[in-house]
Amino acid sequence: METPFTEPASYANFIQDIITEDLKMKKNEGRVHTRFPPEPNGYLHIGHAKSICLNFGIADRNRGLCNLRFDDTNPSKEEVEYVDSIKEDVRWLGYDWDDRLFYASDYFEELYRFAVQLIRDGKAYVCDLTPEEIRDYRGTLTRPGKESPCRSRSVEDNLKLFEKMRAGELPDGACVLRAKIDMTSPNLNMRDPVLYRIQKSSHHRTGDRWCIYPMYDYAHPISDALEGITHSICTLEFEDHRPLYDWVLDNIDIKYHPRQIEFARLNLTYTVMSKRKLRELVEKQFVSGWDDPRMPTISGLRRRGYTPGALRDFCDRIGVAKANSVVDIAMLEHCIREELNLGAPRVMAVLRPLRLIIDNYPEGLVEELDADINPEQPDLGKRKVPFSRVLYIERDDFMEDPPKKFFRLAPGREVRLKHAYIIKCERVVKDQETGEVLEVHCTYDPDTRSGLSTDVRKVKGTLHWVSAEQAIKAQVRLYEHLFTRENPEEDREGAHFTDFINPQSLEVLTDCLLEPGVAGALPGSRFQFLRHGYFIVDTVESKEGSTVFNRIVSLKDSWARLRQKA
Ligand code: ATP
Ligand code: MG
């Protein structure tokens, strides 16, 4: 049966083109099999999300399979905690590897046997040069390499030495196994690259069984081939390694030969995107952990309030390119805003409260006013919001001595209270010593209740508010970019990326007041706080009786504005 290979335009990219062509040519018996191969040396970040969406997405769209494979060939930096977090993050993004969970360390025995084969065929040798000498002998782009004196070792000697390496009879760094390729190759990766090194450290899965570990460039192609991968998708920095990828597979006896395809990695403004740097932020406590809501990790974005759908949508929209570029972080924010505009119930929340008393409103009266749950979805109906004589409004929404363009509350001025009445400011009560405004006293016009037929008068400003007696208290955390520079990684004389951490990236507000309908909201629930943005009940620090909200994003959409201008 012929499979139709027409893709929706949004899926079109050069990798899909290659796969479509391969399917037409009946390459790989018509199979499509990809893999996502993280090294378990840190938590996944949004860049990895792009690779996950690409690999699992391509498999889905082409009736193929995608494996999850831990590239755990470097025992010193890897931990079980990272393995667990990576699995959780991939699943949370909405992808499933079924029974195809693999570890490069599962292949150590086979990798060893293939190395023995290379030695037997005269294509690998044990080299005693020190790491410094190896580097020096390798040459540079303009200077050809020099052959190691060990290059002419006999096959027998090489086999014996390699066995000794494996048996732990030689100390760390005593020698390495190298491929015998070409010391004059214009590609430095082909100048007798190292395949194995001695490292006497425990591995999180193989324990102390091995004291030699394969290098990535050797283990990766073989792991791919053993799993029958058809398209090995990786980032651009591996382009120069592709000849080595192919050399390894061409020189051993193995059934499959996957095709390596490189794409541009994702970079985001105001963000660092390497596990090493993210780990530094965690270890030096610039952030509270890998899941700090300011981190670009998947766990950080999840805690911040991003949804899997918004991240997948973002990865779709940025597309797949062959040249590196930097994506505006505003685009990521746009994706979650768009989703939550449709999905998040509306709430009034006063983050910095100022007491407001309506002097002519009956004492003890509580009216239950109607408000839309979400005006974008009228079918959801209304919620009730209590209104009474003592309210709180936002401190910023009142000015005693306002400039001309200030349309909010000021002495003698009128504003509308959202879903309620028009009020007029009559006087203020101040702290005798500091002069700080403690209370605003107003009168209300009973004929102006929202939705009533008598409600015809218009005023310029509309304020949100909560009723003092019924409001619930909460802590709210506001976030800004973690870095003050668009490109914190850019090399500047003597500067380190942590020099550009934004001291204002976290603001904690402890006395916020919310309308009572939010009481008991479960961790992970998302809301729009009118005029403030989208918020999520923190999943880590919210406790019974003390709710913590994280601001996901404000309402201001700089990305949408940019696009309108364009
Ligand atoms: P980092 O430099 O952040 O430590 P890495 O490439 O070393 O990342 P791996 O665990 O080796 O991390 O990555 C697993 C997969 O994710 C690889 O295929 C890698 O190419 C891909 N990947 C890593 N970072 C990005 C990124 N910023 N954009 C797209 N893909 C990425
Ligand atoms: Mg890596």
Side-chain angles (χ1 to χ4, degrees):
M1 197 187 80
E2 281 297 318
T3 326
F5 296 123
T6 43
E7 286 293 330
S10 67
Y11 298 145
N13 64 54
F14 76 97
I15 298 178
Q16 180 60 51
D17 292 346
I18 291 171
I19 288 175
T20 305
E21 187 58 27
D22 286 351
L23 286 171
K24 260 193 218 142
M25 304 304 286
K26 305 247 172 353
K27 261 202 191 168
N28 310 305
E29 312 96 50
R31 292 180 308 116
V32 172
H33 203 150
T34 57
R35 85 285 170 267
F36 172 64
E39 188 184 347
N41 61 347
Y43 281 58
L44 297 183
H45 52 61
I46 176 101
H48 294 111
K50 175 173 179 176
S51 177
I52 294 166
C53 291
L54 183 59
N55 279 296
F56 281 92
I58 287 252
D60 280 350
R61 288 194 287 276
N62 295 279
R63 299 174 199 184
L65 299 170
C66 181
N67 297 354
L68 175 61
R69 182 199 317 138
F70 288 101
D71 222 319
D72 55 350
T73 51
N74 186 356
S76 57
K77 295 186 295 180
E78 294 160 2
E79 283 178 34
V80 178
E81 175 195 350
Y82 299 139
V83 168
D84 294 340
S85 75
I86 289 169
K87 287 199 247 176
E88 181 186 358
D89 289 349
V90 174
R91 251 191 230 115
W92 178 77
L93 272 175
Y95 297 105
D96 190 354
W97 53 86
D98 296 315
D99 57 351
R100 295 178 314 281
L101 172 63
F102 301 105
Y103 293 84
S105 56
D106 291 342
Y107 310 135
F108 280 171
E109 194 61 52
E110 274 146 304
L111 291 165
Y112 181 83
R113 275 197 284 114
F114 285 123
V116 169
Q117 186 189 342
L118 287 174
I119 296 173
R120 285 223 166 90
D121 294 343
K123 290 170 180 166
Y125 62 98
V126 174
C127 181
D128 312 330
L129 293 182
T130 63
E132 295 74 37
E133 287 169 327
I134 289 185
R135 209 174 309 128
D136 184 47
Y137 276 52
R138 183 179 297 129
T140 62
L141 286 174
T142 51
R143 180 165 60 84
K146 212 163 67 177
E147 293 190 352
S148 160
C150 308
R151 213 174 192 256
S152 49
R153 248 188 192 134
S154 70
V155 168
E156 287 67 39
D157 285 353
N158 279 319
L159 284 174
K160 258 187 236 146
L161 278 168
F162 191 45
E163 219 163 277
K164 276 187 162 188
M165 282 171 67
R166 174 180 184 165
E169 290 169 28
L170 301 169
D172 281 15
C175 52
V176 293
L177 183 74
R178 296 175 71 175
K180 195 188 280 187
I181 308 181
D182 179 4
M183 290 308 290
T184 63
S185 170
N187 184 337
L188 295 178
N189 295 304
M190 299 299 271
R191 294 186 188 171
D192 291 10
V194 174
L195 304 181
Y196 267 93
R197 64 203 187 284
I198 304 173
Q199 194 176 333
K200 289 183 176 152
S201 40
S202 259
H203 184 281
H204 71 110
R205 298 194 83 237
T206 58
D208 295 321
R209 232 174 307 147
W210 291 89
C211 58
I212 55 171
Y213 289 95
M215 303 302 287
Y216 176 90
D217 279 339
Y218 173 71
H220 201 77
I222 299 179
S223 306
D224 280 348
L226 288 171
E227 292 173 17
I229 299 303
T230 56
H231 300 85
S232 178
I233 302 169
C234 62
T235 35
L236 276 183
E237 69 271 22
F238 291 104
E239 196 169 12
D240 290 345
H241 298 237
R242 191 182 342 125
L244 179 53
Y245 184 102
D246 290 331
W247 183 92
V248 170
L249 296 180
D250 285 340
N251 286 283
I252 59 173
D253 195 10
I254 200 160
K255 184 170 170 197
Y256 295 109
H257 190 137
R259 171 168 176 187
Q260 177 178 306
I261 307 170
E262 308 86 17
F263 71 101
R265 57 171 53 227
L266 166 67
N267 298 297
L268 272 185
T269 55
Y270 300 102
T271 308
V272 297
M273 197 88 89
S274 99
K275 278 180 279 186
R276 189 174 50 77
K277 290 184 176 142
L278 297 176
R279 178 157 358 115
E280 186 174 334
L281 292 174
V282 174
E283 283 171 359
K284 296 199 177 148
Q285 301 187 2
F286 287 108
V287 294
S288 65
W290 286 97
D291 68 348
D292 186 298
R294 292 166 293 177
M295 289 283 269
T297 50
I298 296 180
S299 51
L301 292 165
R302 172 167 63 231
R303 190 170 162 199
R304 176 74 170 263
Y306 277 85
T307 61
L311 294 189
R312 287 197 307 263
D313 181 32
F314 172 71
C315 291
D316 250 7
R317 290 188 199 205
I318 55 179
V320 183
K322 276 191 238 190
N324 280 319
S325 65
V326 183
V327 174
D328 191 336
I329 196 167
M331 186 167 164
L332 175 64
E333 296 170 350
H334 172 76
C335 291
I336 187 68
R337 237 180 234 119
E338 218 175 53
E339 179 178 330
L340 294 181
N341 181 39
L342 288 178
R346 274 33 172 184
V347 163
M348 292 200 282
V350 174
L351 303 189
R352 298 171 185 89
L354 172 63
R355 201 172 163 85
L356 183 147
I357 295 143
I358 305 176
D359 291 324
N360 62 339
Y361 193 86
E363 246 173 282
L365 177 64
V366 179
E367 284 182 277
E368 293 287 340
L369 304 181
D370 280 329
D372 290 317
I373 290 176
N374 182 342
E376 301 288 332
Q377 303 215 52
D379 293 353
L380 293 179
K382 306 276 184 189
R383 69 186 199 273
K384 295 284 185 198
V385 187
F387 185 86
S388 67
R389 185 179 144 90
V390 183
L391 309 173
Y392 282 96
I393 61 165
E394 212 64 63
R395 201 157 263 284
D396 283 356
D397 281 341
F398 175 80
M399 275 185 96
E400 216 188 342
D401 196 9
K404 239 188 158 170
K405 287 262 164 88
F406 186 81
F407 297 122
R408 294 172 262 169
L409 199 60
R413 298 241 189 123
E414 284 190 324
V415 293
R416 169 169 298 281
L417 293 178
K418 182 81 177 169
H419 307 303
Y421 300 94
I422 292 179
I423 57 167
K424 182 176 178 193
C425 175
E426 306 288 353
R427 65 189 171 93
V428 297
V429 175
K430 292 201 222 178
D431 184 305
Q432 293 292 330
E433 269 157 40
T434 64
E436 186 196 2
V437 174
L438 300 179
E439 283 179 359
V440 180
H441 285 258
C442 299
T443 50
Y444 85 118
D445 177 349
D447 290 336
T448 56
R449 183 166 144 184
S450 288
L452 286 192
S453 55
T454 49
D455 165 33
V456 289
R457 211 138 63 77
K458 292 272 178 281
V459 287
K460 280 209 166 126
T462 301
L463 310 186
H464 63 273
W465 51 273
V466 293
S467 170
E469 202 183 325
Q470 292 82 10
I472 59 166
K473 276 189 82 166
Q475 187 189 113
V476 169
R477 298 176 182 175
L478 303 180
Y479 302 100
E480 300 286 335
H481 299 144
L482 185 51
F483 292 94
T484 51
R485 309 232 166 173
E486 269 199 23
N487 181 359
E489 301 190 70
E490 199 172 59
D491 278 328
R492 281 165 215 259
E493 314 115 50
H496 189 59
F497 74 99
T498 52
D499 297 343
F500 306 125
I501 288 187
N502 179 2
Q504 265 124 46
S505 58
L506 168 62
E507 185 181 3
V508 180
L509 302 171
T510 49
D511 299 312
C512 308
L513 296 170
L514 276 53
E515 65 174 76
V518 187
L522 294 175
S525 321
R526 297 177 183 83
F527 300 92
Q528 184 196 93
F529 292 178
L530 294 191
R531 297 170 69 211
H532 285 303
Y534 296 100
F535 293 77
I536 184 168
V537 180
D538 189 70
T539 48
V540 177
E541 287 180 46
S542 288
K543 288 184 224 60
E544 177 107 28
S546 95
T547 314
V548 176
F549 284 87
N550 297 318
R551 176 149 75 184
I552 310 167
V553 280
S554 65
L555 293 176
K556 207 168 48 198
D557 195 334
S558 52
W559 179 253
R561 252 203 344 258
L562 277 178
R563 274 194 319 178
Q564 269 161 14
K565 272 196 210 150

